[in-house]
Amino acid sequence: MRGYLSYIGQRFAVFIITVFISITVVFVVPRLVPGDPMGAVFLSMAQMGGSAGAADLVREYERMFGLDQSIWVQYVAFWRELFNGNLGYSIATFPSQVSTLLRSAIPWTVGLLTVTTIISWVLGSVIGALVGWHKSRAFQALVPVALVLYTTPYYILAIILVYLFAFQVRVFPLSGATSLGAVAGFNWTYISDVLWHAALPALSIVLVSLGWWFLSMRSLITSLKGEDYILNAEAMGIKDRRIMWGYAFRNALLPQATGLAISMGNIVGGALITEVIFAYPGIGWVIFNAIKGLDFPVIQGGVLLIIVSVALANFVIDSLYPFIDPRIRYQSARS
């Protein structure tokens, strides 16, 4: 038990350091980008015919958001507000709060990301195990397909799917999460509309992720086939199916779980880019619009949410890993 607590303490320390450094980088980088968020506000007012007195209003905005202070003063104020649970107000859509904007986007990203990650991980692992264990030509023909999918960036596949199934064939909508005028509710009309709009974004994420899980599991199963315990099981006359699923597949799931934790950031990043391409109203779409308007509070809040979510997911997987692989608990106890 002491070894496990030490292991958890080390992982938690890594979690805290990762979040701190990442948040600091997220705070600094947008302020180094050329451009002025208040200039975007002024331009927006001028386009709406409200330029009279806009200069005074912009100065009031700068004072309100602390942009007239040094970056160090802004940094300290940012952490102070963050510890108070306050993400601030959006510059571009004032007086909207950042937490309100993110709260409306979270369900779309979580729903899309959770479903696609589970589907791709399960399908990729199962199909990869079958292809790695069986050497028939029909199974091996899937390998080059998986290689193409794995090496294709999320956004490229998303654009291809949009062109084929939303522009040429027009089976699915081009963008959005629901049809115009759709009324939210727990009924089949609304649910089917949401699923219809989410089909292409989900498919692009699943296909790319599935390619990697397929290849990694196939490689693991192929290497495990030569292990002594597999050969002994075969010599004992144990059924081939039981050896595959009960011995090889079970042991191959350990590194697959580790791979899931390591690749979580790439999966989330791919999902956010996909949201931008499909104008899907998730966190990625919110951050994209905030970047265009140099809306610092929204950028900070959105990326902060992503960083904490990914780091927390890695921490949870790391915490559960000793229950999957007892050797980690043993090594921790000996250290």
Side-chain angles (χ1 to χ4, degrees):
M1 184 64 182
R2 182 180 300 175
Y4 178 70
L5 292 177
S6 175
Y7 172 83
I8 291 298
Q10 293 173 8
R11 293 300 181 270
F12 186 72
V14 171
F15 167 74
I16 295 298
I17 294 172
T18 301
V19 171
F20 175 78
I21 295 176
S22 301
I23 291 176
T24 301
V25 172
V26 168
F27 176 86
V28 173
V29 169
R31 287 164 172 77
L32 300 179
V33 176
D36 178 18
M38 293 300 106
V41 173
F42 186 87
L43 178 62
S44 177
M45 292 179 178
Q47 290 174 343
M48 292 186 295
S51 57
D56 294 335
L57 185 58
V58 167
R59 282 193 292 270
E60 179 62 22
Y61 264 50
E62 290 178 342
R63 185 197 65 78
M64 185 185 310
F65 288 99
L67 298 177
D68 57 343
Q69 303 291 330
S70 66
I71 190 171
W72 172 249
V73 173
Q74 294 181 50
Y75 181 70
V76 173
F78 168 69
W79 275 106
R80 184 173 58 249
E81 294 298 322
L82 190 60
F83 279 122
N84 291 327
N86 182 20
L87 295 177
Y89 292 86
S90 168
I91 296 176
T93 60
F94 185 82
S96 299
Q97 290 185 325
V98 174
S99 57
T100 302
L101 296 175
L102 295 179
R103 195 179 299 118
S104 63
I106 286 174
W108 299 107
T109 296
V110 170
L112 180 67
L113 190 59
T114 303
V115 173
T116 54
T117 300
I118 293 174
I119 291 176
S120 60
W121 191 79
V122 172
L123 283 181
S125 298
V126 172
I127 299 174
L130 290 171
V131 174
W133 190 262
H134 301 285
K135 294 300 181 181
S136 65
R137 290 185 178 181
F139 279 118
Q140 298 308 314
L142 296 175
V143 176
V145 177
L147 283 170
V148 172
L149 292 176
Y150 168 60
T151 56
T152 303
Y154 287 93
Y155 60 91
I156 295 296
L157 185 58
I159 292 173
I160 293 174
L161 292 177
V162 168
Y163 178 76
L164 292 177
F165 299 108
F167 184 74
Q168 290 291 338
V169 183
R170 298 186 180 181
V171 178
F172 298 100
L174 282 168
S175 60
T178 58
S179 299
L180 186 64
V183 179
F186 193 71
N187 54 74
W188 176 243
T189 301
Y190 180 73
I191 294 174
S192 61
D193 187 58
V194 170
L195 295 176
W196 183 49
H197 282 77
L200 287 185
L203 185 60
S204 64
I205 299 173
V206 167
L207 289 178
V208 174
S209 300
L210 187 147
W212 163 246
W213 300 127
F214 170 92
L215 293 172
S216 61
M217 178 57 82
R218 172 183 173 272
S219 177
L220 290 168
I221 293 293
T222 302
S223 63
L224 288 174
K225 288 180 69 175
E227 293 290 332
D228 291 339
Y229 68 92
I230 297 293
L231 298 177
N232 288 336
E234 292 176 346
M236 293 171 62
I238 298 176
K239 292 183 178 180
D240 187 71
R241 178 177 298 181
R242 183 181 175 186
I243 297 175
M244 173 187 166
W245 297 112
Y247 293 78
F249 183 74
R250 183 178 179 182
N251 285 302
L253 282 179
L254 300 177
Q256 280 290 90
T258 304
L260 179 62
I262 295 174
S263 63
M264 188 61 69
N266 292 331
I267 296 173
V268 173
L272 298 182
I273 296 174
T274 302
E275 288 180 357
V276 173
I277 293 174
F278 289 96
Y280 200 75
I283 303 296
W285 182 244
V286 171
I287 294 176
F288 174 72
N289 290 320
I291 291 174
K292 289 195 300 182
L294 291 177
D295 196 341
F296 295 159
V298 177
I299 296 174
Q300 293 166 183
V303 178
L304 168 65
L305 180 63
I306 295 169
I307 290 171
V308 172
S309 300
V310 173
L312 186 61
N314 279 272
F315 174 70
V316 170
I317 294 176
D318 284 341
S319 301
L320 296 176
Y321 204 75
F323 295 100
I324 303 174
D325 189 356
R327 291 172 297 181
I328 293 181
R329 189 161 58 242
Y330 173 77
Q331 291 170 359
S332 298
R334 289 290 300 271
S335 60

